[in-house]
Amino acid sequence: MCVTYIRPFGESKWVEYHRTEVISNSHDPDFAAKILLPYRFEEQQPLRFDVYDVDSDSPNLEEHDFLGHVSCSLGQIVGSGKVKLPLCNRSGKGAEHLGFLFITAEELAALKDEVILKFSGHKLDRKDFFGKSDPFLEIHKAMESGDYTLVLKTEVKKWTLNPVWQPITVPVRTLCNGDYERSLKFVCYDWNASGRHSLIGEFYTNLKTLSQSPVANNRYACIHPEKQVRKKGTYIHSGEITLDQFELRPVYSFLDYIKGGTQLHCSIAIDFTGSNGNPEDPNSLHYVSPGGMPPNCYEQAITAVGSIIQDYDSDKLFPVLGFGARLPPDGKVSHEFFVNMDPNSPYCNGVQGVLDAYRSCIRQVQLYGPTNFAPVINHVAKFAATYRDGSSYFILLILTDGVITDMPQTTQAIVNASVLPLSVIIVGVGSADFTAMETLDADRVALQGANGVRAARDIVQFVPFNKFVSAGDPRTARLRLAREVLAEVPTQFVGYMKANRIAPKPPLSNVTLLPPDPEMLEIQP
């Protein structure tokens, strides 16, 4: 039997989540019981699997023989598709005779298709005494109760009896709960400013009919029920509605692309401006204490975000840039330098490599200024521009303490990058005024460049680190920070792929051997 444990967000203890069935007398059991887990990209979701030899019907695990356990994150399984983990004993040490556990992850099958429909009206009834009509369509779906509920409306077409409405896109799950034969009611109204719209007519159909019949034959008489009763024998209809376009297309999820091999590449940009304070001063945001404990805000942010991103990056190499510092040997100010001080390559190996490079750099450079973001954004955008085929997606994590001094240039850089496979995450450390960062976040109003061009999509997420420092425990603060800063990435990722009509590649079938993760091993007495 295999027992699954999870570590709930913000907690340090393991909680039992699931038990498989017991397979008798087997050294190579294939468990049928599946574990249903909610997947959250923005969190590191630790998992532990304990394997037992079951000797009785007792639910008490202490009465059964412990065979070994493995630990990993859900992201590691999702990022690889299938993993092979060597079983370890209770002390966390592996032994060849303990065997292996194979774990496969797949997204729960769900209807993700969406349908595109385009309708037009022909010779609709004139409803306005001094003019024509202002028609619009409503689509309602039948409920289990027999009632109909509104799904969506088209736009209003003013002053016409022959409207051509814009195409409408709706998930099949929303339109008919995935039931192609569920009744759909289409209602055509004449719009009135008073809100009391006048009924022109209605008709019934279903998605199966819309999808199977030739578009030319999807022509429906618009019937006004009261007129039909009142003018029995003479009433024909109040105009006709024609389906002019039908397209059913799959909607791909973030996991579809990850399973198909799309790689996430995270670049980190660190603020080395003077407003951070003298690194030798314990009050400085860049103060690195002897032994590295407790970690400063920059170190915590690097660890929090990097630990999640690296599960989706096959080479675990992070390009790390710095800005706002005077560099040795001549003291020249740079807003785009390699933190590892290697003139040929900015890459650091894993999260620990990033931390080591940062701690070494802070002792070599002189903090200066000003706070310019545009150079590092443009730097990463150049790489993203060469990978528009969906094989890679780039994330730029900017860690800063100050007010942006090149706001127009940064805005333009973000607008230019909004058409690229790139997301920009800004983490504000310290207590500076971060109002400008909220503007860049652009959740409500799209950014606009100096040339009047608006951003193609929202690619920026800003989070103030102080919001999480109050958590007390640095580890909890890191987890909460990671969840917030990465929450929008899957949506931004899918938005880019959809806008560029990029379909995911078939799922990879390779098996990845994962070594035991020392941070997740549970040492038990």
Side-chain angles (χ1 to χ4, degrees):
M1 176 179 68
C2 184
V3 182
T4 302
Y5 294 83
I6 63 171
R7 199 156 63 195
F9 182 78
E11 297 185 18
S12 58
K13 63 180 180 180
W14 292 105
V15 177
E16 184 178 330
Y17 187 81
H18 179 270
R19 295 187 184 190
T20 67
E21 76 278 21
V22 175
I23 296 181
S24 301
N25 301 320
S26 175
H27 289 290
D28 301 287
D30 187 6
F31 300 106
K34 302 299 186 288
I35 308 159
L36 182 61
L37 284 167
Y39 166 72
R40 302 183 182 92
F41 168 77
E42 65 273 17
E43 291 182 22
Q44 189 175 44
Q45 296 174 267
L47 301 174
R48 194 184 88 205
F49 303 89
D50 289 8
V51 182
Y52 287 87
D53 174 31
V54 178
D55 297 317
S56 69
D57 293 331
S58 172
N60 187 353
L61 294 176
E62 294 180 358
E63 296 186 18
H64 307 296
D65 295 326
F66 177 79
L67 299 180
H69 73 102
V70 299
S71 298
C72 63
S73 72
L74 182 57
Q76 287 177 299
I77 305 173
V78 169
S80 301
K82 185 175 183 179
V83 299
K84 176 183 178 182
L85 297 139
L87 288 168
C88 300
N89 56 30
R90 291 192 185 277
S91 66
K93 296 181 180 180
E96 192 171 339
H97 69 277
L98 293 182
F100 296 87
L101 191 66
F102 289 83
I103 307 170
T104 304
E106 64 177 3
E107 191 173 16
L108 182 66
L111 186 64
K112 297 184 288 184
D113 295 344
E114 64 182 13
V115 62
I116 300 173
L117 304 168
K118 182 180 180 182
F119 293 94
S120 60
H122 306 272
K123 298 181 180 180
L124 300 179
D125 277 0
R126 185 189 307 271
K127 306 299 289 188
D128 295 335
F129 186 76
F130 294 106
K132 297 184 179 181
S133 294
D134 303 320
F136 68 94
L137 273 181
E138 289 185 351
I139 304 179
H140 302 249
K141 68 179 176 183
M143 305 298 288
E144 302 298 334
S145 63
D147 298 326
Y148 283 84
T149 183
L150 178 65
V151 176
L152 54 84
K153 300 179 183 179
T154 67
E155 78 281 14
V156 176
K157 289 296 184 182
K158 305 288 284 187
W159 199 259
T160 180
L161 301 180
N162 299 287
V164 178
W165 290 287
Q166 291 294 315
I168 51 179
T169 303
V170 58
V172 172
R173 192 162 39 188
T174 301
L175 182 63
C176 60
N177 290 24
D179 179 2
Y180 276 53
E181 296 187 359
R182 184 181 292 253
S183 178
L184 300 174
K185 180 169 74 171
F186 290 74
V187 187
C188 186
Y189 286 102
D190 169 44
W191 179 86
N192 292 311
S194 65
R196 294 189 293 272
H197 309 308
S198 304
L199 176 65
I200 295 177
E202 60 188 31
F203 64 91
Y204 294 82
T205 185
N206 56 46
L207 189 57
K208 181 178 180 180
T209 302
L210 293 172
S211 65
Q212 293 183 346
S213 299
V215 169
N217 293 336
N218 266 302
R219 194 177 186 94
Y220 302 91
C222 223
I223 304 299
H224 192 299
E226 293 182 5
K227 283 188 177 182
Q228 190 177 42
V229 173
R230 191 169 65 249
K231 299 181 179 182
K232 188 175 183 180
T234 62
Y235 178 77
I236 300 177
H237 55 65
S238 296
E240 294 181 307
I241 304 293
T242 301
L243 173 66
D244 300 322
Q245 178 186 348
F246 179 92
E247 181 184 352
L248 186 67
R249 64 186 184 191
V251 177
Y252 300 113
S253 70
F254 175 74
L255 287 185
D256 290 328
Y257 292 95
I258 295 299
K259 290 190 292 184
T262 298
Q263 292 288 304
L264 299 186
H265 303 283
C266 182
S267 300
I268 301 173
I270 301 175
D271 182 341
F272 286 97
T273 57
S275 54
N276 285 279
N278 184 349
E280 301 296 327
D281 185 344
N283 293 319
S284 169
L285 295 170
H286 276 308
Y287 177 71
V288 178
S289 62
M293 294 299 292
N296 63 38
C297 291
Y298 283 93
E299 293 172 307
Q300 291 184 57
I302 290 168
T303 302
V305 178
S307 296
I308 290 180
I309 295 296
Q310 69 177 359
D311 285 345
Y312 304 87
D313 189 339
S314 59
D315 59 16
K316 307 290 188 290
L317 295 178
F318 294 90
V320 186
L321 307 173
F323 59 91
R326 280 180 163 174
L327 306 183
D330 56 3
K332 183 179 179 180
V333 177
S334 175
H335 296 287
E336 185 187 340
F337 64 90
F338 298 164
V339 169
N340 62 5
M341 308 307 284
D342 182 340
N344 301 313
S345 173
Y347 293 98
C348 299
N349 189 7
V351 175
Q352 189 57 50
V354 175
L355 293 173
D356 292 343
Y358 162 71
R359 291 162 183 161
S360 175
C361 180
I362 201 68
R363 298 184 180 94
Q364 299 179 59
V365 302
Q366 179 186 353
L367 305 192
Y368 201 67
T371 306
N372 293 346
F373 283 6
V376 293
I377 294 174
N378 290 330
H379 178 96
V380 178
K382 290 178 183 177
F383 290 93
T386 64
Y387 291 91
R388 300 193 185 203
D389 61 352
S391 62
S392 295
Y393 192 86
F394 294 79
I395 298 171
L396 171 59
L397 172 65
I398 301 178
L399 309 175
T400 183
D401 85 307
V403 178
I404 301 176
T405 51
D406 66 340
M407 189 66 175
Q409 294 88 340
T410 294
T411 299
Q412 189 62 54
I414 292 172
V415 171
N416 295 341
S418 66
V419 298
L420 302 176
L422 173 64
S423 290
V424 179
I425 299 169
I426 304 172
V427 176
V429 298
S431 55
D433 181 4
F434 292 117
T435 304
M437 309 298 183
E438 301 288 356
T439 302
L440 295 177
D441 202 329
D443 283 335
R444 294 185 178 87
V445 181
L447 282 180
Q448 182 173 307
N451 57 2
V453 176
R454 292 183 177 273
R457 59 194 182 92
D458 175 20
I459 65 170
V460 178
Q461 168 78 339
F462 168 72
V463 178
F465 188 80
N466 276 358
K467 178 179 177 181
F468 306 95
V469 173
S470 58
D473 177 21
R475 182 178 180 277
T476 301
R478 292 199 307 268
L479 292 172
R480 295 184 186 278
L481 172 69
R483 182 171 65 173
E484 180 125 348
V485 300
L486 295 173
E488 292 186 12
V489 169
T491 301
Q492 294 172 355
F493 176 105
V494 172
Y496 172 80
M497 300 298 182
K498 185 175 181 180
N500 291 275
R501 294 184 173 273
I502 299 173
K505 294 181 180 179
L508 301 177
S509 57
N510 58 298
V511 179
T512 304
L513 176 61
L514 294 179
D517 187 338
E519 292 188 3
M520 293 188 183
L521 292 175
E522 182 75 3
I523 307 301
Q524 299 182 10

